[in-house]
Amino acid sequence: MQAISGYSKLSKEEKLEWLARQVSHEPEAFIAEMKSYWHNDHSVQKLFDEFSENTLTNFYMPFGIVPNVLLNGELYAVPMVIEESSVVAAAAQSAKFWLTRGGFKAQVLGTKKIGQVHFLWEGDFLKLDVLFEDLKEKMLDNTALITKNMRQRGGGILDIELVNMTHIEPHYYQFKATFETCDSMGANFINTCLEEFARTFKQWAAVQEGFTEKERNPLIIMSILSNYTPECLVKAWVECPVAELGSFEGMDAEMFAFKFQKAITIAKNDVYRATTHNKGIFNGIDAVALATGNDFRAVEACGHVYAARDGKYRSLTDCTVENGIFRFWITVPLALGTVGGLTSLHPIVRRSFEILGYPNAQKLMQITAAIGLAQNFAAVKSLVTTGIQKGHMKMHLLNILRHFGATEEETKAAIEHFKHHVVSFSAVRDLLDKWREAAEIKRNHDTDSTATV
Ligand code: MEV
């Protein structure tokens, strides 16, 4: 592989051509395959190309729905984009299970977002502290135009604090601002405001008469939103009498509730289990975030930090079994948007919102949390009853069959066979080998018989 300068300036065709010649023994086939995933409507393709840079083609991911999600008394079909087999099936199974047991309930506990200006200031903190209200007023005045629309929608800058961080680093302070960004995720809005705060601070400090030369020259390190939004929080829950849980593959409801609750306690206290447990939750949350054009990296980063908020990484879900009632809930920060960003640009994201009945950001937070909870319920249910592999490998069977180039006929027969056998990579390989050997022997035999005749 050679280095290249000016790659971004090449046309898409040239970019592909260059790469193919660098990496492939069959550049023409490489290019043809990459191009085969281009959208046939040029304007749609242009839209996808422009979501990112150096775009060569489109990367397909399955888009599916989870029907039967009863949430706060309303029924939803929830779109999910995910490549891992069994995730959508698991959520769908959970949704159906809770559909007849009161469904999911959810409540938004807060919608505040955070941004920070980090700066060094060599001076007397008290001087700055005393004058901070004046500075804050200027910051609000200077961002008035930026925040006008957001204020009209009921949002804007909620507060700006001056935080002394000199215990971390000499002369280090922050302006820590809280924002309400209504239905938008708000990253651009917050960052624009923060950069204006920084500019205002520099200008304001420069003309403060009581300040020393150094105090008139703060050093702005950076201005950026925080993806940690513990006050942009939603809770989703399910509950029913233990007896109504029913039985699970021969396990009665009491034993199921007991084992389920223990599994959650383990995930609350053991970091190895907590990580896998929360990963399963994010199987659901990320898939909805992706389908709705939200930043799943931000959502995950925040969720994992929240899971460790008391200094130890723990399960995001909780469970109690008390007085014959099974209760299971999730509390998770979800900074999601339903306007701005990809939400109005990506044609399938627009369809996702149509499928969801055009929710606002708070409703989307509730839906997403419910899917995270549904996912976790399905995973833990499998783990404490049949084991995860039974369902997981059944769903994975098609991928394994495809890996071994199974024909349609072999696929049908294998699906039938594995209804009664444990699926594994080697079991599928051995079965196909056995069938193919038998078919080969039969073919040879038939040829021999024909020759004899
Ligand atoms: C697999 O993607 C997710 C699970 O491992 C989650 C869990 O163990 O709770 C099944």
Side-chain angles (χ1 to χ4, degrees), residues 258-270:
F258 178 80
K259 284 185 76 176
F260 192 101
Q261 199 271 331
K262 288 288 169 237
I264 304 300
T265 305
I266 292 166
K268 275 264 160 231
N269 292 289
D270 178 77

Side-chain angles (χ1 to χ4, degrees), residues 84 87 273 276-281 283 376 379-380 383 388 392:
E84 184 177 330
V87 167
R273 176 56 204 148
T276 320
H277 181 96
N278 288 344
K279 186 273 183 186
I281 293 172
N283 276 345
N376 191 226
V380 177
L383 288 168
I388 204 76
H392 205 74

Side-chain angles (χ1 to χ4, degrees), residues 361-425:
Q362 294 206 24
K363 208 167 235 183
L364 185 60
M365 287 168 73
Q366 295 175 351
I367 294 167
T368 310
I371 293 295
L373 187 71
Q375 208 68 54
N376 191 226
F377 181 77
V380 177
K381 172 169 158 291
S382 293
L383 288 168
V384 302
T385 56
T386 58
I388 204 76
Q389 283 308 78
K390 191 170 176 219
H392 205 74
M393 292 310 279
K394 279 245 153 78
M395 301 305 295
H396 197 45
L397 176 59
L398 286 181
N399 289 342
I400 304 177
L401 286 165
R402 217 164 283 130
H403 175 87
F404 288 115
T407 62
E408 218 168 287
E409 208 178 313
E410 285 173 335
T411 303
K412 258 195 210 147
I415 290 173
E416 202 42 49
H417 173 89
F418 284 108
K419 277 189 184 152
H420 316 289
H421 296 87
V422 176
V423 181
S424 75
F425 198 77

Side-chain angles (χ1 to χ4, degrees), residues 113-116 185 190-191 194 224-230 335:
K113 309 216 172 111
I114 305 286
Q116 297 158 302
M185 193 266 187
I190 293 175
N191 289 335
L194 294 171
I224 184 76
L225 92 169
S226 170
N227 284 122
Y228 186 44
T229 55

Side-chain angles (χ1 to χ4, degrees), residues 107 109 230 233-237 268 281 303 306-307 309 315-318 329-334 369 373:
Q107 190 189 356
L109 304 177
L233 198 64
V234 56
K235 179 176 173 180
W237 67 95
K268 275 264 160 231
I281 293 172
Y306 186 75
R309 65 194 176 282
S315 155
L316 286 167
T317 50
D318 290 270
W329 70 97
I330 186 170
T331 319
V332 64
L334 287 174
L373 187 71

